[in-house]
Amino acid sequence: MADSQLLILDKKQIQQKINRMAYQILEDNLNEKEIVLAGIWDRGYKLALRLKTVLLEISDLTVTMLKIDLEKENSCLKATTDLEPAKVKNKVIILVDDVLNSGKTLAYGFGVFLNTPHKKIRTVVLVDRSHKIYPVATDFVGLQMATVLKEHVDVVLDVAGQEDGVYLS
């Protein structure tokens, strides 16, 4: 990473946050047999995979993965998923992303499930920057931090040749 970046969370701290969030997800879904982790591509999906690993270690839950690929620069909601919406019908859906900034990405992520009946939807983010302009709440947060708008939070997960970390620049 560049010298102008400040390490906020290292690899060990990220894993501790993921472990804690997995336990919170389990606690919130004690009566469920299956949950759907819907990760926003690509870092949200990588985070969802990490959560799945921990959930499978600590519970008997069946965890179904769903990848949401959003066209974030589009003014209209355009999203694709790797599962048919009917496959997640009447299930608990946990929407996962790496950083919550304005809330637009999570709001678009919710749009994928608007026409699909579900038990409940929860949200997970590794870092909540507290700059929401959309009315999006996070249910499970690794780190909540106040930043100024010009600062950037960069999450590195499973990138070849780079140590996992959360950086502020």
Side-chain angles (χ1 to χ4, degrees):
M1 287 285 112
D3 291 336
S4 64
Q5 292 189 312
L6 175 68
L7 180 66
I8 302 298
L9 295 173
D10 64 22
K11 183 177 182 172
K12 181 179 178 188
Q13 292 167 320
I14 290 171
Q15 192 56 52
Q16 289 169 337
K17 303 287 186 198
I18 290 170
N19 292 347
R20 180 176 47 79
M21 291 186 297
Y23 276 101
Q24 291 172 323
I25 291 168
L26 177 59
E27 191 175 280
D28 188 53
N29 294 287
L30 286 174
N31 297 323
E32 298 298 327
K33 291 180 179 21
E34 178 181 1
I35 62 170
V36 176
L37 290 179
I40 296 176
W41 185 254
D42 77 294
R43 289 180 304 265
Y45 189 76
K46 290 176 179 180
L47 179 59
L49 287 170
R50 299 263 190 106
L51 285 164
K52 177 182 179 180
T53 299
V54 177
L55 284 165
L56 293 177
E57 290 172 2
I58 64 173
S59 73
D60 293 328
L61 281 173
T62 298
V63 180
T64 300
M65 293 297 298
L66 177 108
K67 178 174 70 174
I68 301 172
D69 197 356
L70 297 174
E71 288 185 25
K72 295 179 189 178
E73 303 309 315
N74 202 318
S75 60
C76 298
L77 173 62
K78 291 202 187 275
T80 56
T81 60
D82 62 347
L83 274 181
E84 291 296 317
K87 301 266 188 205
V88 299
K89 188 176 179 181
N90 298 320
K91 295 183 179 154
V92 172
I93 298 166
I94 301 179
L95 189 58
V96 184
D97 202 10
D98 61 338
V99 178
L100 174 63
N101 189 21
S102 69
K104 181 179 180 179
T105 302
L106 282 179
Y108 272 26
F110 286 128
V112 171
F113 305 106
L114 287 178
N115 296 319
T116 305
H118 50 272
K119 285 187 180 178
K120 63 183 174 185
I121 296 180
R122 296 287 186 259
T123 57
V124 175
V125 295
L126 185 58
V127 179
D128 183 342
R129 293 189 57 198
S130 305
H131 289 294
K132 294 185 277 271
I133 57 174
Y134 288 81
V136 174
T138 50
D139 297 295
F140 311 108
V141 179
L143 177 66
Q144 187 139 18
M145 61 185 286
T147 61
V148 294
L149 284 173
K150 67 178 184 174
E151 292 176 317
H152 181 73
V153 174
D154 188 30
V155 176
V156 176
L157 290 177
D158 301 324
V159 176
Q162 292 187 37
E163 182 82 9
D164 287 353
V166 175
Y167 299 88
L168 182 66
S169 56

